[in-house]
Amino acid sequence: MNHLGEEQLILHYYCEEEDAFASDRHLGECEACRALYGSLQRTLNVVDSLPVPEPGAEYAEQVWKRIEHRLPARRGARWVWALPAPWRWAAAGAAFAALLVAAFLAGRFYPHSRQPAQLAADPQAGERILLVAVGDYLERSQMVLIELANARSPGSLDISSEQKRAVALVSENRLYRQTAGHTGDAAVASVLDELERVLLDITHAPSRLSPGELEKLRQRLEAKGILFKIRVLGSNVRNQEGQTL
Amino acid sequence: MELTDLAFVTKARSGDADAFRALVERHSRPLFRLAFRMTGNQQDAEDAVQESFLRAWRQLGRFDERASFGTWLYRIAPNCSLDVMRSRKRRSNLSEVEDPVLALPSGDPTPERVAMSGEVRERVAEAMDELSASERTAFVLRHFEGLRMEDVGRVLGCQPGAAKHSVFRAVQKLRRALEPLVSGAR
């Protein structure tokens, strides 16, 4: 048998090789492979002994306290989840069948002179889709701002990847801001307007920021309190999203 | 009679926060250990654990009841840990990087503390930090959590072969970095 390669030895260590018996036999006979395997074992044993702090007895309680108020509401569809799994599938099947019948009847009897878009319109479904999209959008925006707000660098910092993300977010923002304007949701439109300005600031900044420029950017973010506003808006959106389910 | 995870999941899905709390109580400690090994930092590990549970709550509807809730959480947590690590990289200030060993609660020396000299601890932590995000995730899941390669692949969203190669690369890098240390200690 040829010598065992490092990868074979790693698989042997984790007991995931195909022919463990052959490897064992080879290791018994081949000093070179045994030495290599010994070195691998010693390395992994050292890694093993890297300690992990043991969280205190109250750790789970602390985790719960920190997340409890951040859990978006889960409402609606309660009765569906309370059913046993087979019944849930039956309920879903019945709902789908009802939907098909409704679609057929609508197609059969609805005046054909109407625009197709009007047939498809379901205000509640539309609202739900919009809420999900806005919620996700706010999370992604928040992530970019958090990364920049927390960035520390002794030298200049390359923010080109954040800028690329900010460019994409700006065009999305316009869509959501205009929608909020049309639906008369002034508070949402106002936060999105502020967010858009901040994102534009980021896209127009140099792609490498000196520590001083980075600090100024951070101060602007803090002064506008935009992160807090996004968090509040995000939380409201998630709550509404739960209510429309 | 103690309820199963699945029973709590079913209740939590219908909006029962107390049921979800029970799941947090059951799983937060093992999740912390996983997150700590991924991030190498106590604060980041705590953030990753919280984010994992928040994500789990949001995605409860997608949980397949035939699977184990713990395993499902173990798929979420590495991704949250990676997000936290990426975010930490952005604010990397080397002087503020927390030594995982220094993060241990103070008090009497634990056997681990006694067993590891300062130099070894530092070198292991440095070697782990040299791994890429996917190598570190794959290694932690295979080595510390005992997942088989194909399960590692599922967590990473890649083929078992790719997961295997991430583990190989991780072990090879660790061996290169720590070999002088372990051969000197023989």
Side-chain angles (χ1 to χ4, degrees), chain A residues 6 14 16 39 48-49 53-56 60-61 66 70 72 74 78 81 88 150 152 158 162, chain B residues 13-14 21 28-29 32-33 50 54 57 65 90-92 116 142-143 149 172 175-176 179:
Chain A
E6 196 176 13
Y14 290 125
E16 287 212 44
S39 145
D48 258 343
S49 50
E54 192 54 37
E61 183 64 27
R66 284 183 202 137
R70 294 169 61 198
R74 296 185 68 86
R78 280 176 187 224
W81 290 115
R88 214 178 300 151
N150 292 322
R152 299 275 187 285
D158 184 357
E162 282 80 359
Chain B
R13 268 174 164 166
S14 60
R21 181 184 188 156
S28 54
R29 293 165 74 87
F32 172 83
R33 282 190 281 274
Q50 288 166 37
L54 286 169
W57 171 264
E65 291 172 0
R90 302 299 319 154
R91 55 186 152 89
S92 65
M116 292 189 80
R142 175 55 270 196
H143 186 78
M149 298 291 188
Q172 285 160 353
R175 206 169 77 75
R176 307 278 178 274
E179 172 66 22

Side-chain angles (χ1 to χ4, degrees), chain B residues 58-89:
Chain B
R58 285 199 289 266
Q59 297 179 1
L60 271 179
R62 295 186 209 164
F63 171 68
D64 180 349
E65 291 172 0
R66 290 166 299 179
S68 136
F69 180 75
T71 308
W72 185 66
L73 259 185
Y74 262 52
R75 289 187 191 169
I76 294 175
N79 291 316
C80 291
S81 302
L82 287 177
D83 288 347
V84 170
M85 285 160 77
R86 281 189 203 111
S87 165
R88 189 219 315 171
K89 250 187 185 169

Side-chain angles (χ1 to χ4, degrees), chain A residues 5-194:
Chain A
E6 196 176 13
E7 294 182 354
Q8 276 175 288
L9 291 173
I10 294 169
L11 289 179
H12 185 69
Y13 181 88
Y14 290 125
C15 306
E16 287 212 44
E17 62 189 340
E18 282 173 14
D19 192 353
F21 178 70
S23 302
D24 271 337
R25 200 174 51 196
H26 181 81
L27 283 171
E29 293 164 356
C30 176
E31 201 175 324
C33 287
R34 212 165 39 243
L36 184 59
Y37 188 60
S39 145
L40 180 72
Q41 282 178 311
R42 282 193 299 280
T43 303
L44 293 174
N45 289 346
V46 166
V47 174
D48 258 343
S49 50
L50 190 68
V52 174
E54 192 54 37
E58 69 295 346
Y59 178 64
E61 183 64 27
Q62 289 167 0
V63 173
W64 177 250
K65 277 185 184 153
R66 284 183 202 137
I67 64 168
E68 185 181 6
H69 302 293
R70 294 169 61 198
L71 295 178
R74 296 185 68 86
R75 296 201 188 103
R78 280 176 187 224
W79 63 275
V80 174
W81 290 115
L83 292 172
W87 284 99
R88 214 178 300 151
W89 282 108
F96 185 64
L99 202 66
L100 282 179
V101 170
F104 171 76
L105 291 176
R108 182 81 178 76
F109 297 111
Y110 210 83
H112 289 276
S113 57
R114 294 282 180 90
Q115 294 295 316
Q118 285 175 292
L119 284 177
D122 172 356
Q124 217 181 355
E127 187 191 354
R128 195 159 55 238
I129 292 165
L130 182 67
L131 288 171
V132 171
V134 171
D136 287 341
Y137 167 77
L138 289 172
E139 269 188 11
R140 280 182 284 126
S141 304
Q142 196 178 327
M143 195 53 75
V144 170
L145 299 185
I146 286 174
E147 284 177 20
L148 286 171
N150 292 322
R152 299 275 187 285
S153 174
S156 67
L157 182 76
D158 184 357
I159 61 161
S160 52
S161 73
E162 282 80 359
Q163 283 179 313
K164 274 185 201 156
R165 286 152 68 195
V167 168
L169 290 168
V170 166
S171 39
E172 262 187 86
N173 190 302
R174 286 190 182 131
L175 185 70
Y176 297 133
R177 180 170 51 77
Q178 283 163 5
T179 309
H182 289 315
T183 54
D185 204 333
V188 175
S190 157
V191 173
L192 290 175
D193 186 49
E194 269 193 67

Side-chain angles (χ1 to χ4, degrees), chain B residues 34-181:
Chain B
L34 167 67
F36 183 85
R37 284 179 170 134
M38 287 280 303
T39 60
N41 174 303
Q42 186 160 2
Q43 182 57 54
D44 286 349
E46 286 175 3
D47 290 348
V49 170
Q50 288 166 37
E51 189 51 41
S52 303
F53 281 116
L54 286 169
R55 221 175 268 187
W57 171 264
R58 285 199 289 266
Q59 297 179 1
L60 271 179
R62 295 186 209 164
F63 171 68
D64 180 349
E65 291 172 0
R66 290 166 299 179
S68 136
F69 180 75
T71 308
W72 185 66
L73 259 185
Y74 262 52
R75 289 187 191 169
I76 294 175
N79 291 316
C80 291
S81 302
L82 287 177
D83 288 347
V84 170
M85 285 160 77
R86 281 189 203 111
S87 165
R88 189 219 315 171
K89 250 187 185 169
R90 302 299 319 154
R91 55 186 152 89
S92 65
N93 179 346
L94 289 178
S95 63
E96 285 179 11
V97 171
E98 198 178 358
D99 179 339
V101 175
L102 293 179
L104 284 167
S106 58
D108 292 335
T110 62
E112 291 89 349
R113 272 175 184 271
V114 173
M116 292 189 80
S117 74
E119 190 197 350
V120 175
R121 288 196 308 254
E122 260 175 45
R123 295 280 286 276
V124 173
E126 278 169 17
M128 290 287 286
D129 279 344
E130 286 303 309
L131 304 181
S132 72
S134 61
E135 289 162 0
R136 187 166 182 145
T137 310
F139 178 73
V140 167
L141 293 174
R142 175 55 270 196
H143 186 78
F144 292 109
E145 304 299 332
L147 265 65
R148 295 190 67 78
M149 298 291 188
E150 55 182 283
D151 293 323
V152 174
R154 278 195 201 108
V155 173
L156 291 174
C158 65
Q159 295 295 318
K164 208 183 273 186
H165 281 288
S166 293
V167 174
F168 289 159
R169 280 197 303 276
V171 175
Q172 285 160 353
K173 281 187 183 177
L174 290 171
R175 206 169 77 75
R176 307 278 178 274
L178 301 173
E179 172 66 22
L181 203 69

